[in-house]
Amino acid sequence: MVLAAICAAYALGAALGWGSRTVAVFMGDFGLSAAALLAAASCLWYAHAQRRDAGRAATAHLAPAQRAHLRASRPAWVLFGISSLMAGIGNGVWGWYELVLGEQVPRPSLADFCFLLFAPPAIVGLLVLAKRPVTRAGWVCLSLDAWLIGGSLLTLSWSLALAHTAYWQGDSVARAALNLAYPLLDIVLVSMVLALHFRRSSAHRSAINAAVGALALTVLCDALFTSPMLRQQYASGQLLDAGWFAGSLLLAYAPWVGRRETSAPVPPPPGLPATAREAEARATHPSRPITGSLSALTPYLAAAVCTLGILYNAVDGRELDRVVLYTGCTVVLALVLRQGVMLLDNITLTRELAQKENHFRSLVQGSSDVIMITAATGKLRYVSPAAAGVYGRNAEDLVGAELSSLVHPDDLGQVLHELRRFLATSSEQESCTRIECRIRHGDGHWLNVESTVNRYQGGLIFNSRDVTERVRLQAQLQHNASHDALTDLPNRALFTERVRQAIGGRRGGDCGTAVLFIDLDGFKAVNDTVGHQAGDELLVQAARRLHDSVRSGDTAARLGGDEFAVLIRGDGEPGQPPDAERELRIHDIADRLRITLSDPYRVEGTEVRVAASIGIAFAEPGITPSALMRNADLAMYRAKQAGKARVELYAPQMQAEVVKRAELAARLRSALHDGEFALLHQPIVELASGKITAIAAEARWRSAQGILFTPAEFLRTEGASAREARGVGGERAAEVSRWLLEEAVQQAAARQRAGYGAPVTVRLPARRLTEPGMEPHSIGALLARHGLAAAPGPTGGTALGAPAANAGVPGAPGALILELSDSDPRIPLDELERRLTALRRLGVLISLDGFGSGYAAISALRRLPVDILRLDRGLTDGIVESTRQRKITAGLLRIAGDLGLTTVAEGVDLPEQATLLREMGCTHGQGAVFSGALDEHRLRTALARGVYPVPESSRSGGVSGYGEEHPEGRDTAVAVAGALPVASGSSVGAGSRPLAVPQQGGPEALTHPAVRSNAETPVPPT
């Protein structure tokens, strides 16, 4: 708008004569010079800015091809700047003569040479901006087109004006050549403008259009100036100068049009997609077809102009000028040559097109994909030959058929919806789409087909391929990812997802939804006895039974190993808790599943039995799938703890028990690691002589107040139930047992080196000796590491009667006694017998605890290599009051005597018990009547004395020889639940001879009361 206003103001001033002759001359000369110099400065500065900004972020948003074109266009703007500079200098010289010197401009002058130099740089600049031909034929056609245009313009100009002008007649040759050079250079410039206008590059189009328009306006003014009529009447400051002024300002503005478009693109209007804007621009400016037509018609239009020039001379009655004749002949020759070149080029293009068409036909017919072209009505217009191999139908039979007749009815709606959506979308937004559907094969079955759909001449083109195997493989992979590979039941991931759907869907608040967790009891024994292959077959059969026993809407899954789960969907109202009837019904379902899974299985010709423990948990409002499954898992473990083969319903306190048990286990673990455990020992005394023949190691937990507790007592003081105490003890039993064994052996070895040797007894669960880490070689290595390795020694009745001379000697026979407790009938006795035999070869004695407490001890006595029998504490407690129990105890002692085994009575707390046991034939005793559990200092004191007083027979009245009664005789012996003490040592006072300990000058038996540990805990026994 500013440019148009300035040009209009200049034109108005020129039309009005500027008010005075001086102003008119000044604006006509120096005004034009200033405009031309402004154009020169603008073009040169733009070229410099392009060079500076090359590669910077200012053009980073452009495509590489556009950036390359911008770099290549810099020389054109430099040439345009030079051309404008020549025009500015020429106008300045013209004004110097007229306004400063006040005289006519001489001909020729420096201004004429500057004006002549305006055209060549502009012509070269147009050549730089033009789109270069890529073939030799293109270059030839470009040259011929330039001559056709130039020759036609020359013919027309010569016919109209040049031949009739005589204003240079009589002038010098230089002046005549100068007068003739002006129109000829303008003709060449116009020819280049017209020839290159239709070949300009598409990039930076607005700047090039502006530059071409500026040069065209300048040439038009030059043509008017060279005409004799205007030249004779021309004076500076007239209206013709307004054209030159406008051309210079337009050329000054031209480069910055493109600069503004590339560096500062206009943001799109909000809500209008880019593709829609592009489509609108193309619809508004449909210039490409018109441009192509004008470019093709340009040579013929030039020939028509040349013909008009010749006809003008003929009609006017003049003689045919030789210039017009020669020029016309060259124009016709150029037109013929151009037609020949174009004919040869068209023949070449036709051959190339035919070759490409053959290639395309070969690709289509040889492709394994089926290519189909449909009309807008949906009828097939073309089908490639590949349809015979893919669809099992001939391509000719499919042409004319409806596409909908091939598609599966279930997929037809989806296909039509996608095609309608695709056709309603513009090609700029979506050029193609992809459809998957099923197509009927010629044999009648259905194929999974994937098709890429494109628009084609008002219809659609389908590129289809058979993906049946891929779809089948994908379905199989998805099935495998969500199902168990062995049983084909849903796995944990799919089961969790279905639980989430059940408690979070439309009926998400239905509290009647229940989850059952199932664990097969005894499955490990099947793997161990029959084999893992049989175990897998059992799991398959169990899964089949489980799947057949649930409703179709429920889900049975295998979670891993021998664990299964069942999801029973609720049928109540959302938000209502399950009533008693619902709970009873689910419990009945679970019980039926338990019975079904507990029926015998036939695997590999062998009948095996397993049981099932089932836990039930009901959904609650807001519960998560993981929490619901955790609750069912807790209920299942409660069923296993309660005896297995039963059904348990989840209760909220189960979770609290788990948390508490975890805290207790962590407390016990930290106590082990922080050294809060202490080891005490209780002497084992020969009932006949009172001599200390061995010591029993017992563990204690030292409280913050210095009170010693057994692990079970600590759990009780922490508020743990008996079940929790057993659970925590079972979880940490292995670690406690290892600590007891290592600590007892280490202290026993230290005592032997100090001369206080005595065999040490360590109580271990029998199952612990069958676990890894408790192999005979591991125990032998422990003994050897502490210098307590023992050679094979006395067994049977002499196991605790080694000679006193060996006391304190490292390696003495029977330095370590392993006492087996908690005899479990499920323990593999063969493996246990093998390990105990190997331990006896190392000199380790074997003691059997709990003799007389059940069948397990009798069975172990029959199979295992045992040296010592420990009477169960229950036999000792009632031996004084119950005649029946005395007879039972006497019978058991006779059995031990007949087997030649040493016997030890536990819990001998009263003198009467010691007397009766000795009379019944029991050889050794352990209890408060002799001593409680002692710390290391008091233990060494007791070992130094060596003998405790033995109560006399109760039938002689009183307890003669025992001395005064003291609290030690009423102390309680305590034992570690599930993890029992270890003892080591040598023989102190063993055998039938009394152990003489020097005291105040004579070898007399000790009559002092038993030593009591002040650190012993006063709590009752566990």
Side-chain angles (χ1 to χ4, degrees):
M1 297 294 295
V2 175
L3 180 66
I6 295 175
C7 293
Y10 190 95
L12 182 62
L16 298 178
W18 295 105
S20 66
R21 177 61 185 168
T22 304
V23 175
V25 172
F26 179 84
M27 295 301 298
D29 293 336
F30 292 106
L32 291 182
S33 177
L37 291 177
L38 177 63
S42 175
C43 293
L44 293 175
W45 178 255
Y46 177 73
H48 173 72
Q50 275 190 317
R51 182 176 182 179
R52 181 190 60 195
D53 295 340
R56 287 188 179 181
T59 58
H61 65 281
L62 299 178
Q66 291 178 319
R67 289 198 296 268
H69 175 76
L70 290 178
R71 288 193 297 269
S73 65
R74 284 199 301 271
W77 297 108
V78 173
L79 293 172
F80 290 156
I82 295 174
S83 177
S84 298
L85 181 63
M86 294 296 102
I89 295 175
N91 283 299
V93 172
W94 195 287
W96 178 266
Y97 278 105
E98 286 189 337
L99 194 61
V100 177
L101 300 180
E103 59 186 39
Q104 292 290 329
V105 181
R107 304 291 301 275
S109 67
L110 180 60
D112 294 323
F113 291 105
C114 290
F115 290 147
L116 289 177
L117 292 178
F118 167 81
I123 294 173
V124 178
L126 289 174
L127 287 175
V128 171
L129 289 178
K131 185 185 296 182
R132 295 172 178 79
V134 296
T135 62
R136 286 180 294 180
W139 282 106
V140 173
C141 289
L142 178 61
S143 302
L144 293 175
D145 290 345
W147 171 244
L148 285 172
I149 296 172
S152 300
L153 292 177
L154 179 62
T155 301
L156 183 61
S157 300
W158 193 274
S159 300
L160 293 176
L162 295 180
H164 303 284
T165 58
Y167 59 88
W168 67 79
Q169 294 180 0
D171 291 340
S172 63
V173 176
R175 186 170 183 176
L178 181 63
N179 291 332
L180 189 60
Y182 275 114
L184 292 180
L185 287 176
D186 288 339
I187 290 174
V188 174
L189 184 58
V190 171
S191 302
M192 294 303 303
V193 167
L194 292 176
L196 298 179
H197 174 67
F198 303 109
R199 292 178 176 270
R200 66 187 183 276
S201 175
S202 58
H204 223 16
R205 182 178 295 272
S206 57
I208 297 176
N209 287 339
V212 169
L215 294 176
L217 182 60
T218 303
V219 170
L220 177 62
C221 294
D222 288 345
L224 294 176
F225 175 76
T226 55
S227 63
M229 184 182 304
L230 292 179
R231 184 177 180 85
Q232 292 176 358
Q233 300 177 1
Y234 172 77
S236 297
Q238 293 182 351
L239 190 61
L240 184 62
D241 291 345
W244 281 315
F245 184 82
S248 297
L249 290 185
L250 183 60
L251 186 60
Y253 174 71
W256 304 105
V257 177
R259 175 78 172 187
R260 184 179 60 186
E261 290 181 356
T262 56
S263 61
V266 179
L272 186 62
T275 52
R277 293 195 308 275
E278 294 172 2
E280 180 182 356
R282 281 193 292 272
T284 307
H285 306 286
S287 60
R288 285 186 180 274
I290 298 176
T291 301
S293 301
L294 291 177
S295 176
L297 292 177
T298 299
Y300 305 101
L301 292 176
V305 169
C306 182
T307 303
L308 288 176
I310 296 175
L311 290 177
Y312 178 81
N313 283 335
V315 172
D316 198 23
R318 299 192 188 96
E319 294 184 1
L320 192 62
D321 192 90
R322 287 179 296 180
V323 175
V324 174
L325 178 63
Y326 294 153
T327 305
C329 291
T330 55
V331 168
V332 172
L333 180 61
L335 182 62
V336 172
L337 291 176
R338 188 183 189 281
Q339 289 298 108
V341 172
M342 292 299 298
L343 180 61
L344 294 177
D345 191 42
N346 288 338
I347 293 174
T348 303
L349 291 177
T350 303
R351 289 177 180 176
E352 292 179 357
L353 181 62
Q355 186 177 8
K356 291 180 179 179
E357 185 177 355
N358 291 333
H359 290 167
F360 176 74
R361 185 180 295 108
S362 300
L363 290 174
V364 171
Q365 295 180 353
S367 173
S368 59
D369 295 349
V370 179
I371 299 176
M372 300 183 298
I373 300 177
T374 64
T377 59
K379 287 188 177 182
L380 296 175
R381 292 161 44 188
Y382 171 79
V383 179
S384 66
V390 177
Y391 296 157
R393 301 184 182 186
N394 292 328
E396 294 79 5
D397 299 338
L398 292 176
V399 175
E402 293 285 342
L403 178 63
S404 59
S405 63
L406 305 178
V407 181
H408 194 283
D410 295 341
D411 301 338
L412 183 57
Q414 179 182 357
V415 171
L416 293 178
H417 173 75
E418 177 62 22
L419 291 179
R420 291 192 185 103
R421 184 201 62 79
F422 175 65
L423 291 175
T425 307
S426 64
S427 58
E428 290 81 6
Q429 291 178 335
E430 190 174 7
S431 60
C432 65
T433 186
R434 182 166 296 181
I435 294 175
E436 286 194 20
C437 61
R438 285 169 288 180
I439 299 292
R440 185 186 297 276
H441 192 270
D443 298 337
H445 66 275
W446 296 95
L447 300 174
N448 292 95
V449 175
E450 180 186 65
S451 302
T452 302
V453 185
N454 294 271
R455 299 175 180 84
Y456 179 72
Q457 295 182 358
L460 296 173
I461 180 170
F462 292 78
N463 190 351
S464 307
R465 63 192 61 85
D466 182 11
V467 294
T468 303
E469 289 300 323
R470 190 193 71 186
V471 172
R472 185 179 295 114
L473 179 59
Q474 288 177 346
Q476 183 64 37
L477 291 176
Q478 291 177 354
H479 180 84
N480 293 343
S482 58
H483 287 76
D484 178 58
L486 179 63
T487 62
D488 203 40
L489 290 178
N491 58 14
R492 183 181 293 272
L494 180 57
F495 184 78
T496 304
E497 180 60 29
R498 292 188 178 177
V499 172
R500 180 179 291 107
Q501 294 173 1
I503 65 178
R506 183 176 58 88
R507 305 182 64 86
D510 187 2
C511 297
T513 299
V515 171
L516 278 61
F517 258 50
I518 305 170
D519 186 83
L520 299 181
D521 303 324
F523 177 73
K524 184 177 184 301
V526 175
N527 277 338
D528 295 339
T529 56
V530 189
H532 289 274
Q533 186 67 29
D536 291 345
E537 179 60 27
L538 187 148
L539 290 176
V540 172
Q541 294 184 26
R544 191 179 301 118
R545 293 182 187 182
L546 195 62
H547 181 269
D548 296 341
S549 301
V550 300
R551 300 177 303 180
S552 58
D554 298 333
T555 301
R558 182 191 178 208
L559 305 183
D562 59 346
E563 289 188 353
F564 295 87
V566 175
L567 170 65
I568 301 178
R569 295 180 179 269
D571 50 6
E573 291 296 329
Q576 295 295 328
D579 53 13
E581 183 182 355
R582 172 69 175 172
E583 291 184 359
L584 181 60
R585 187 162 64 252
I586 296 296
H587 195 283
D588 290 341
I589 293 174
D591 201 53
R592 287 198 301 271
L593 291 176
R594 181 188 63 79
I595 296 173
T596 301
L597 295 174
S598 300
D599 288 340
Y601 296 85
R602 193 76 180 177
V603 291
E604 295 187 356
T606 304
E607 185 177 280
V608 296
R609 288 179 177 271
V610 294
S613 297
I614 303 178
I616 305 173
F618 285 94
E620 301 173 355
I623 195 171
T624 62
S626 59
L628 180 59
M629 295 170 64
R630 179 203 62 202
N631 294 345
D633 195 16
L634 292 175
M636 183 267 292
Y637 275 106
R638 172 61 63 86
K640 295 181 75 69
Q641 293 173 0
K644 302 182 179 179
R646 56 186 295 141
V647 178
E648 285 285 342
L649 183 64
Y650 170 77
Q653 60 267 24
M654 292 182 182
Q655 176 63 20
E657 290 176 0
V658 170
V659 173
K660 191 169 187 179
R661 190 160 54 245
E663 293 175 353
L664 293 174
R667 181 73 179 91
L668 181 59
R669 186 185 305 112
S670 62
L672 285 170
H673 292 168
D674 297 342
E676 297 179 10
F677 272 93
L679 194 62
L680 303 182
H681 297 83
Q682 189 172 23
I684 299 175
V685 179
E686 187 180 21
L687 294 179
S689 62
K691 298 174 182 177
I692 301 175
T693 58
I695 54 176
E698 300 175 359
R700 294 292 186 273
W701 195 338
R702 190 182 306 276
S703 69
Q705 294 76 22
I707 302 176
L708 295 176
F709 293 91
T710 67
E713 288 170 348
F714 170 80
L715 297 176
R716 189 167 67 242
T717 59
E718 291 291 323
S721 63
R723 179 184 296 109
E724 293 169 351
R726 288 195 299 271
V728 175
E731 294 169 4
R732 310 307 308 171
E735 191 171 352
V736 173
S737 297
R738 285 192 295 270
W739 179 86
L740 283 172
L741 182 59
E742 294 181 2
E743 189 71 16
V745 170
Q746 180 180 0
Q747 292 187 15
R751 284 193 298 271
Q752 278 196 356
R753 289 192 294 269
Y756 299 100
V760 61
T761 299
V762 180
R763 183 179 296 177
L764 296 176
R767 65 181 178 275
R768 198 70 62 218
L769 290 175
T770 62
E771 295 176 351
M774 284 292 185
E775 295 86 355
H777 65 83
S778 299
I779 297 177
L782 175 64
L783 295 173
R785 185 167 66 251
H786 293 287
L788 204 63
T795 60
T798 61
L800 294 179
N806 293 333
V809 179
L816 175 63
I817 304 172
L818 292 181
E819 181 179 320
L820 306 182
S821 66
D822 299 340
S823 298
D824 190 343
R826 295 173 298 178
I827 296 176
L829 293 180
D830 294 336
E831 174 65 18
L832 182 59
E833 181 182 6
R834 185 187 65 80
R835 294 197 176 191
L836 293 180
T837 302
L839 288 172
R840 293 186 74 212
R841 285 197 295 267
L842 295 175
V844 178
L845 300 182
I846 306 301
S847 175
L848 183 62
D849 184 34
F851 183 63
S853 61
Y855 170 77
I858 301 298
S859 176
L861 179 62
R862 187 176 65 249
R863 295 284 305 275
L864 302 178
V866 176
D867 302 303
I868 305 169
L869 286 179
R870 292 180 65 94
L871 294 181
D872 186 74
R873 187 185 185 92
L875 297 175
T876 307
D877 287 342
I879 196 174
V880 178
E881 295 84 4
S882 174
T883 305
R884 185 182 183 89
Q885 191 156 337
R886 285 199 298 269
K887 291 180 180 182
I888 294 174
T889 304
L892 294 175
L893 290 173
R894 281 195 300 270
I895 293 174
D898 293 340
L899 294 176
L901 301 177
T902 300
T903 54
V904 178
E906 185 179 357
V908 184
D909 299 334
L910 300 174
E912 293 84 357
Q913 294 173 340
T915 302
L916 287 175
L917 289 169
R918 183 175 64 243
E919 292 175 355
M920 291 176 187
C922 182
T923 59
H924 296 76
Q926 175 185 347
V929 71
F930 301 110
S931 175
L934 306 175
D935 59 15
E936 185 66 20
H937 173 71
R938 289 177 172 81
L939 174 63
R940 293 197 179 193
T941 303
L943 290 177
R945 295 171 181 172
V947 178
Y948 283 104
V950 178
E952 298 294 337
S953 174
S954 60
R955 298 176 186 177
S956 60
V959 188
S960 60
Y962 187 74
E964 62 175 343
E965 192 173 5
H966 52 81
E968 185 68 21
R970 294 297 179 186
D971 262 348
T972 301
V974 290
V976 180
L980 300 170
V982 173
S984 69
S986 182
S987 53
V988 177
S992 57
R993 297 179 297 172
L995 176 61
V997 180
Q999 186 170 354
Q1000 296 183 357
E1004 298 178 358
L1006 291 174
T1007 59
H1008 298 285
V1011 179
R1012 181 184 187 275
S1013 172
N1014 293 327
E1016 182 64 354
T1017 174
V1019 299
T1022 58

